[in-house]
Amino acid sequence: MAQETAPARQSGLRRDLSGRQVGMIAIGGAIGTGLFLGSGLAISIAGPAVIIAYAVAAFAALALAYALAEMIVVHPEAGGFGAVVQRYLGGLSGFVSRWIYWAAQVVNIGSEVIAAGLYVQFWYPQLPLWMPVVVFSLMMLAVNFAAVRFFGEFEYWFAMIKVITIVVFIGLGVFYIFFGLPGQQPAGVGALTEHGGFLPNGIGAVWLALTVVTFSYLGTEAVSMTAAESRNPGRDVPRAARGMVLRLALFYVLGMLVVVSILPWNEVSSSGEVTESPFVRLFSMVGIPAAAGIMNFVVLTAALSAMNTNLYITSRMTHSLAMDGYAPKWFAKVGSSGVPRRSLVLSAAGLALAAVLAVFAEDTAFAMLLGLALFGALVTWLMIFASQLVFRHRRTKEGLPPSPVRLPGAPVTTVLAMLFVAAVLLTTPFTEQFNTAWKAGVPFVVVLCVAYYVVNRRKPARSEAEVESAQ
C-alpha cells in the first residue's frame, strides 16, 4: 500500500505559474554563481578534461529529470519529489528527504546572500558586509511574500539575465576560437593540450572533479516543487525538467570547452575573485569596457536569482511537511494570496543562521554546513531514483498504464545513475572542499530518523475519508 500524502487540492496553493515561468524557475535554482566563478575550481583539479566531468554529470542530472518528470506527471501534488518519495518509499524516507533537502537549500541560500553582499563590496569596498546581506534578504523575502505569479515573473526576468550572459559568452568564445576578434588572430584549441596535455593530472583528477561538478547540477530536482502551483503541471513540469537539464549540459559543457580552449587551464583562477573569473577574462579580451563591472552585476543577479528560487523551494517543502503532519500544523497555513508565509518565515530564520555562520565561522561551522548541503542533495537524488524504481514496479504489478513521460532505458538507466551518485558521495571525503559531507550528513540523518519516530508517535492517524480523497 502506498504511503499517501496530503491531497493536492487541500494544500491551499494556487495554480498561477505559467509554462515559461516554471521553466525559468528551474534554471534560476540550478545556475548560481558556480558556473561564473566556481567552475574555476573544477578546472584547477582536472585541467581541460573537466569537459568530460561535466558531460558525465549531465547524464545523471538528465536521468534524474526524466525520472522525476515520469512520477510528477502522475502525481502533480504539493511537496514535489518529497511527496513522491513518501508515497513510494514510506513515511520515514519522505520525512528525511524533505527535511535534509530543506537544510541543504537553506545553507545554499545563506551562502548565496553572503556572496551577493561580497559582490556589492566590489563597487563599495568600505561598505559593511551585513548591510547588503540584510537588504537583499528583505528584498527576496518580499518577492516571495507576494503572490506566486509575481514571484514567477520576477524570477523569469532575473534568470533570463544569466541565460543571455552565458549564450553571449559561448558565442563570443566560439567566434574567437575559429575566426578571431578585432585585432586578434583566431585562438584555436591549442590550450586543450599545450599545458601538460588534455589530462594533466590524470584520470583520477577527473573523478575527483566530479564531486565539484555534480554540485553544479544540484537544483535539477527543484522543478518538481512547482507542480502544485503550475497551471498545467502535466505538460509544464516534464517540459521544464528536460529543457533545464539539456540547457545546463549545453551551457556547462560548451562554456567549459570555450574556457579551456582559450585560457591555459593552470592560469584559470579558482580563488573566487570576480576580476579573475574566466568570463571576465574573455569579455576583457573582446574589449568590452568595464568587463569586470558588468560580470560583477551578472554574478550578483545570479546569486539573488538562486536565493530567490531556493527560498520558494524551502517554503513549499516546509508547507508540504506540515500538510502531512511532519511539521507543526502552523506552517501549513496559507495566506490570502496563496503563499505559505509562515513556512517562508521559518526558511528566513534558517537563512539568517546560515548567513551569520558564513560570516563568523566560515572555516568551521559553515564548512560543515556546506558538506551537509552536498550530502543532503545527493541522498535526495538517490531517494528519487529509488522511488522511480518502486513507482514503475507498482504500476506494472497493479496493471496501471505507464506514465506519459518515461525515462529511456529504465530500470537500467536508473540503476546506473544511482551507482554514479553513490560513487560521487563516497568520493567526497577525498576532496578538500566537501570532506565534511559525511561528518555532518550522517549525524544529521540519524537525528532526523529519531525525530521521525518521535513525531510519528504523536501524529494523529488520518481518517479513511482523507486517505480516499488523497487517492
Side-chain angles (χ1 to χ4, degrees), residues 285-356:
M285 293 169 65
V286 174
I288 295 179
I294 293 172
M295 279 310 303
N296 192 60
F297 171 76
V298 171
V299 294
L300 173 60
T301 59
L304 293 178
S305 171
M307 176 187 172
N308 190 39
T309 296
N310 289 336
L311 270 173
Y312 168 85
I313 293 166
T314 53
S315 64
R316 270 54 177 185
M317 191 68 75
T318 308
H319 172 261
S320 74
L321 282 161
M323 288 289 296
D324 290 335
Y326 293 136
K329 285 293 183 184
W330 192 79
F331 293 115
K333 178 70 174 178
V334 174
S336 58
S337 61
V339 176
R341 293 178 175 177
R342 294 177 179 180
S343 295
L344 188 57
V345 169
L346 178 64
S347 298
L351 156 65
L353 174 61
V356 168

Side-chain angles (χ1 to χ4, degrees), residues 21 43 46 61 82 92 128 136 145 154 173 190 210 311 322 324 329 347 355 360 382 389 393-394 464:
Q21 290 173 339
I43 294 172
L92 176 61
F136 288 140
F145 265 105
F154 182 91
L210 271 171
L311 270 173
D324 290 335
K329 285 293 183 184
S347 298
F360 296 106
L382 288 173
L389 290 175
H393 173 74
R394 187 166 292 158
E464 292 183 8

Side-chain angles (χ1 to χ4, degrees), residues 250-431:
L250 196 65
F251 291 163
Y252 281 129
V253 174
L254 287 182
M256 291 307 99
L257 179 60
V258 166
V259 170
V260 296
S261 295
I262 297 174
L263 303 173
W265 72 270
N266 50 354
E267 294 181 13
V268 175
S269 170
S270 61
S271 65
E273 291 295 326
V274 172
T275 53
E276 295 176 346
S277 165
F279 280 63
V280 176
R281 290 280 298 275
L282 179 61
F283 284 162
S284 297
M285 293 169 65
V286 174
I288 295 179
I294 293 172
M295 279 310 303
N296 192 60
F297 171 76
V298 171
V299 294
L300 173 60
T301 59
L304 293 178
S305 171
M307 176 187 172
N308 190 39
T309 296
N310 289 336
L311 270 173
Y312 168 85
I313 293 166
T314 53
S315 64
R316 270 54 177 185
M317 191 68 75
T318 308
H319 172 261
S320 74
L321 282 161
M323 288 289 296
D324 290 335
Y326 293 136
K329 285 293 183 184
W330 192 79
F331 293 115
K333 178 70 174 178
V334 174
S336 58
S337 61
V339 176
R341 293 178 175 177
R342 294 177 179 180
S343 295
L344 188 57
V345 169
L346 178 64
S347 298
L351 156 65
L353 174 61
V356 168
L357 290 173
V359 174
F360 296 106
E362 181 179 359
D363 297 329
T364 53
F366 196 67
M368 293 293 287
L369 289 178
L370 283 177
L372 173 62
L374 179 63
F375 186 90
L378 292 178
V379 167
T380 299
W381 278 28
L382 288 173
M383 288 186 176
I384 291 171
F385 283 126
S387 299
Q388 193 249 356
L389 290 175
V390 177
F391 168 83
R392 280 204 168 193
H393 173 74
R394 187 166 292 158
R395 293 189 75 80
T396 301
K397 182 180 177 180
E398 297 176 2
L400 298 172
S403 171
V405 179
R406 308 195 76 192
L407 170 60
V412 175
T413 315
T414 308
V415 172
L416 288 176
M418 289 181 73
L419 290 174
F420 170 80
V421 173
V424 170
L425 188 58
L426 291 171
T427 305
T428 55
F430 303 99
T431 58

